[in-house]
Amino acid sequence: MSFRSGYGQKCAIELYRDATERQAKLAGVTIPTFMCRRCGKRQSVSGRRQVVRGSSRYGYYCASCCTTRPVATGCGNRPS
């Protein structure tokens, strides 16, 4: 069943169906990813860590960068 507007163009319903039909073929492409601030690689969002805790504004580190590089502690690095 074809829906057409009064001017012979596709209506919103038909445009929506076309778009969702196209996007259904891209299921593997639309996995959410981010770019790691240390290594610069695109990674999936599982296992990511925030650069600044509590703020996503500054980006994320991937899980492999978080485990390989030791996290600096606030008071342990300063001389007394």
Side-chain angles (χ1 to χ4, degrees), residues 44-78:
S44 66
V45 295
S46 62
R48 70 182 177 181
R49 302 283 184 264
Q50 291 177 335
V51 173
V52 177
R53 288 189 180 176
S55 177
S56 61
R57 177 181 189 172
Y58 302 103
Y60 297 93
Y61 296 136
C62 63
S64 62
C65 285
C66 287
T67 56
T68 57
R69 186 178 257 183
V71 177
T73 56
C75 296
N77 293 339
R78 282 188 259 160

Short mmCIF file of all heavy atoms in Angstrom, two decimals, residues 44-78:
data_model
loop_
_atom_site.label_atom_id
_atom_site.label_comp_id
_atom_site.label_asym_id
_atom_site.label_seq_id
_atom_site.Cartn_x
_atom_site.Cartn_y
_atom_site.Cartn_z
N SER A 44 34.65 0.32 21.53
CA SER A 44 33.27 0.27 21.97
C SER A 44 33.19 0.82 23.38
O SER A 44 34.19 0.89 24.08
CB SER A 44 32.73 -1.16 21.92
OG SER A 44 33.41 -1.95 22.85
N VAL A 45 32.01 1.22 23.80
CA VAL A 45 31.88 1.93 25.07
C VAL A 45 32.02 1.03 26.29
O VAL A 45 32.14 1.54 27.41
CB VAL A 45 30.54 2.69 25.15
CG1 VAL A 45 30.49 3.79 24.12
CG2 VAL A 45 29.37 1.76 25.01
N SER A 46 32.05 -0.28 26.13
CA SER A 46 32.18 -1.15 27.30
C SER A 46 33.58 -1.05 27.88
O SER A 46 34.57 -1.13 27.17
CB SER A 46 31.87 -2.60 26.93
OG SER A 46 32.80 -3.06 25.98
N GLY A 47 33.68 -0.80 29.17
CA GLY A 47 34.96 -0.74 29.85
C GLY A 47 35.64 0.61 29.81
O GLY A 47 36.76 0.75 30.28
N ARG A 48 35.01 1.63 29.29
CA ARG A 48 35.66 2.94 29.22
C ARG A 48 35.67 3.62 30.59
O ARG A 48 34.87 3.33 31.46
CB ARG A 48 34.96 3.83 28.20
CG ARG A 48 33.58 4.27 28.63
CD ARG A 48 32.92 5.10 27.59
NE ARG A 48 31.56 5.44 28.01
CZ ARG A 48 30.73 6.13 27.30
NH1 ARG A 48 31.08 6.55 26.11
NH2 ARG A 48 29.53 6.39 27.76
N ARG A 49 36.62 4.52 30.77
CA ARG A 49 36.75 5.29 32.01
C ARG A 49 36.80 6.77 31.66
O ARG A 49 37.41 7.15 30.66
CB ARG A 49 38.03 4.92 32.76
CG ARG A 49 38.15 3.47 33.12
CD ARG A 49 37.29 3.15 34.33
NE ARG A 49 37.46 1.79 34.77
CZ ARG A 49 36.69 0.77 34.44
NH1 ARG A 49 35.68 0.97 33.63
NH2 ARG A 49 36.90 -0.43 34.90
N GLN A 50 36.21 7.60 32.50
CA GLN A 50 36.23 9.03 32.25
C GLN A 50 37.60 9.62 32.56
O GLN A 50 38.26 9.19 33.50
CB GLN A 50 35.18 9.73 33.12
CG GLN A 50 33.77 9.40 32.72
CD GLN A 50 32.75 10.04 33.63
OE1 GLN A 50 33.05 10.34 34.78
NE2 GLN A 50 31.56 10.24 33.12
N VAL A 51 38.02 10.59 31.75
CA VAL A 51 39.30 11.27 31.99
C VAL A 51 39.23 12.00 33.32
O VAL A 51 40.10 11.88 34.17
CB VAL A 51 39.63 12.25 30.84
CG1 VAL A 51 40.85 13.08 31.16
CG2 VAL A 51 39.84 11.48 29.55
N VAL A 52 38.18 12.78 33.52
CA VAL A 52 37.93 13.47 34.78
C VAL A 52 36.69 12.83 35.37
O VAL A 52 35.62 12.89 34.77
CB VAL A 52 37.70 14.99 34.56
CG1 VAL A 52 37.37 15.67 35.87
CG2 VAL A 52 38.90 15.61 33.90
N ARG A 53 36.84 12.21 36.52
CA ARG A 53 35.71 11.50 37.13
C ARG A 53 34.55 12.45 37.39
O ARG A 53 34.73 13.54 37.90
CB ARG A 53 36.13 10.83 38.42
CG ARG A 53 37.00 9.66 38.16
CD ARG A 53 37.24 8.87 39.40
NE ARG A 53 38.10 7.75 39.09
CZ ARG A 53 38.57 6.91 39.96
NH1 ARG A 53 38.26 7.07 41.23
NH2 ARG A 53 39.33 5.93 39.58
N GLY A 54 33.36 12.02 37.00
CA GLY A 54 32.15 12.81 37.20
C GLY A 54 31.83 13.75 36.06
O GLY A 54 30.83 14.45 36.10
N SER A 55 32.67 13.79 35.02
CA SER A 55 32.42 14.69 33.90
C SER A 55 32.79 14.00 32.59
O SER A 55 33.93 13.61 32.39
CB SER A 55 33.25 15.97 34.05
OG SER A 55 33.07 16.79 32.92
N SER A 56 31.82 13.86 31.71
CA SER A 56 32.09 13.25 30.41
C SER A 56 32.60 14.29 29.40
O SER A 56 32.95 13.95 28.28
CB SER A 56 30.82 12.60 29.87
OG SER A 56 29.81 13.57 29.69
N ARG A 57 32.68 15.52 29.81
CA ARG A 57 33.08 16.61 28.93
C ARG A 57 34.49 16.44 28.37
O ARG A 57 34.78 16.82 27.25
CB ARG A 57 32.99 17.90 29.72
CG ARG A 57 33.43 19.12 29.01
CD ARG A 57 33.31 20.32 29.91
NE ARG A 57 33.52 21.53 29.17
CZ ARG A 57 33.34 22.73 29.64
NH1 ARG A 57 32.92 22.89 30.87
NH2 ARG A 57 33.57 23.78 28.90
N TYR A 58 35.39 15.85 29.16
CA TYR A 58 36.79 15.74 28.78
C TYR A 58 37.13 14.44 28.07
O TYR A 58 38.27 14.21 27.74
CB TYR A 58 37.66 15.92 30.01
CG TYR A 58 37.41 17.25 30.67
CD1 TYR A 58 36.64 17.33 31.83
CD2 TYR A 58 37.88 18.43 30.12
CE1 TYR A 58 36.38 18.55 32.43
CE2 TYR A 58 37.62 19.66 30.71
CZ TYR A 58 36.86 19.71 31.86
OH TYR A 58 36.60 20.91 32.44
N GLY A 59 36.15 13.59 27.87
CA GLY A 59 36.38 12.37 27.11
C GLY A 59 36.60 11.15 27.98
O GLY A 59 36.38 11.17 29.19
N TYR A 60 37.08 10.08 27.33
CA TYR A 60 37.21 8.79 27.99
C TYR A 60 38.53 8.12 27.63
O TYR A 60 39.13 8.42 26.61
CB TYR A 60 36.07 7.86 27.55
CG TYR A 60 34.70 8.36 27.93
CD1 TYR A 60 33.95 9.12 27.04
CD2 TYR A 60 34.16 8.06 29.16
CE1 TYR A 60 32.69 9.58 27.40
CE2 TYR A 60 32.90 8.51 29.52
CZ TYR A 60 32.17 9.27 28.64
OH TYR A 60 30.93 9.72 28.98
N TYR A 61 38.95 7.19 28.48
CA TYR A 61 40.06 6.29 28.21
C TYR A 61 39.49 4.90 27.99
O TYR A 61 38.50 4.52 28.61
CB TYR A 61 41.03 6.21 29.40
CG TYR A 61 41.74 7.50 29.73
CD1 TYR A 61 41.87 7.91 31.04
CD2 TYR A 61 42.31 8.28 28.74
CE1 TYR A 61 42.53 9.08 31.37
CE2 TYR A 61 42.98 9.45 29.05
CZ TYR A 61 43.09 9.85 30.36
OH TYR A 61 43.75 11.00 30.66
N CYS A 62 40.13 4.11 27.14
CA CYS A 62 39.67 2.74 26.93
C CYS A 62 40.14 1.86 28.09
O CYS A 62 41.01 2.25 28.87
CB CYS A 62 40.15 2.19 25.59
SG CYS A 62 41.94 2.06 25.42
N ALA A 63 39.56 0.68 28.19
CA ALA A 63 39.86 -0.22 29.31
C ALA A 63 41.33 -0.66 29.30
O ALA A 63 41.95 -0.77 30.35
CB ALA A 63 38.95 -1.43 29.25
N SER A 64 41.90 -0.87 28.12
CA SER A 64 43.29 -1.32 28.06
C SER A 64 44.25 -0.21 28.51
O SER A 64 45.25 -0.49 29.17
CB SER A 64 43.65 -1.80 26.67
OG SER A 64 43.52 -0.76 25.74
N CYS A 65 43.96 1.03 28.22
CA CYS A 65 44.82 2.13 28.68
C CYS A 65 44.70 2.33 30.18
O CYS A 65 45.66 2.71 30.84
CB CYS A 65 44.45 3.43 27.97
SG CYS A 65 45.01 3.50 26.27
N CYS A 66 43.54 2.09 30.74
CA CYS A 66 43.35 2.25 32.20
C CYS A 66 44.10 1.18 32.97
O CYS A 66 44.59 1.44 34.06
CB CYS A 66 41.87 2.19 32.55
SG CYS A 66 41.01 3.66 32.06
N THR A 67 44.21 -0.03 32.43
CA THR A 67 44.87 -1.11 33.16
C THR A 67 46.38 -1.08 32.97
O THR A 67 47.12 -1.49 33.85
CB THR A 67 44.34 -2.48 32.72
OG1 THR A 67 44.49 -2.62 31.31
CG2 THR A 67 42.89 -2.63 33.09
N THR A 68 46.88 -0.57 31.84
CA THR A 68 48.32 -0.57 31.58
C THR A 68 49.03 0.58 32.27
O THR A 68 50.17 0.45 32.70
CB THR A 68 48.63 -0.51 30.08
OG1 THR A 68 48.01 0.64 29.52
CG2 THR A 68 48.13 -1.76 29.39
N ARG A 69 48.40 1.72 32.38
CA ARG A 69 49.03 2.90 32.98
C ARG A 69 48.54 3.06 34.42
O ARG A 69 47.34 3.12 34.65
CB ARG A 69 48.67 4.13 32.16
CG ARG A 69 49.38 5.39 32.61
CD ARG A 69 49.00 6.53 31.72
NE ARG A 69 50.08 6.77 30.79
CZ ARG A 69 50.08 7.75 29.91
NH1 ARG A 69 49.03 8.51 29.78
NH2 ARG A 69 51.10 7.94 29.12
N PRO A 70 49.41 3.14 35.39
CA PRO A 70 48.97 3.28 36.78
C PRO A 70 48.29 4.63 37.01
O PRO A 70 48.71 5.64 36.46
CB PRO A 70 50.26 3.17 37.60
CG PRO A 70 51.34 3.52 36.65
CD PRO A 70 50.87 3.13 35.28
N VAL A 71 47.28 4.62 37.83
CA VAL A 71 46.54 5.84 38.15
C VAL A 71 47.30 6.59 39.23
O VAL A 71 47.70 6.02 40.24
CB VAL A 71 45.11 5.48 38.61
CG1 VAL A 71 44.36 6.73 39.00
CG2 VAL A 71 44.38 4.70 37.53
N ALA A 72 47.51 7.89 39.04
CA ALA A 72 48.22 8.69 40.01
C ALA A 72 47.32 8.97 41.20
O ALA A 72 46.16 9.33 41.03
CB ALA A 72 48.67 10.00 39.37
N THR A 73 47.85 8.85 42.39
CA THR A 73 47.07 9.18 43.57
C THR A 73 47.33 10.62 43.93
O THR A 73 48.41 11.17 43.67
CB THR A 73 47.44 8.26 44.75
OG1 THR A 73 48.84 8.38 44.98
CG2 THR A 73 47.11 6.82 44.44
N GLY A 74 46.38 11.26 44.56
CA GLY A 74 46.47 12.68 44.85
C GLY A 74 47.61 13.06 45.78
O GLY A 74 48.38 13.96 45.52
N CYS A 75 47.76 12.37 46.89
CA CYS A 75 48.75 12.78 47.90
C CYS A 75 50.04 11.98 47.80
O CYS A 75 51.06 12.39 48.35
CB CYS A 75 48.16 12.61 49.29
SG CYS A 75 46.75 13.68 49.57
N GLY A 76 50.03 10.83 47.14
CA GLY A 76 51.20 9.97 47.14
C GLY A 76 52.37 10.48 46.31
O GLY A 76 53.51 10.07 46.54
N ASN A 77 52.16 11.37 45.38
CA ASN A 77 53.23 11.82 44.50
C ASN A 77 53.93 13.08 44.99
O ASN A 77 54.97 13.45 44.47
CB ASN A 77 52.68 12.07 43.10
CG ASN A 77 52.24 10.79 42.44
OD1 ASN A 77 52.66 9.70 42.83
ND2 ASN A 77 51.37 10.90 41.45
N ARG A 78 53.38 13.76 45.98
CA ARG A 78 53.97 15.01 46.45
C ARG A 78 55.02 14.75 47.52
O ARG A 78 54.82 13.92 48.40
CB ARG A 78 52.89 15.91 47.03
CG ARG A 78 52.10 16.60 45.95
CD ARG A 78 51.20 17.61 46.58
NE ARG A 78 49.87 16.99 46.62
CZ ARG A 78 48.89 17.36 47.41
NH1 ARG A 78 49.06 18.35 48.25
NH2 ARG A 78 47.74 16.76 47.38
#
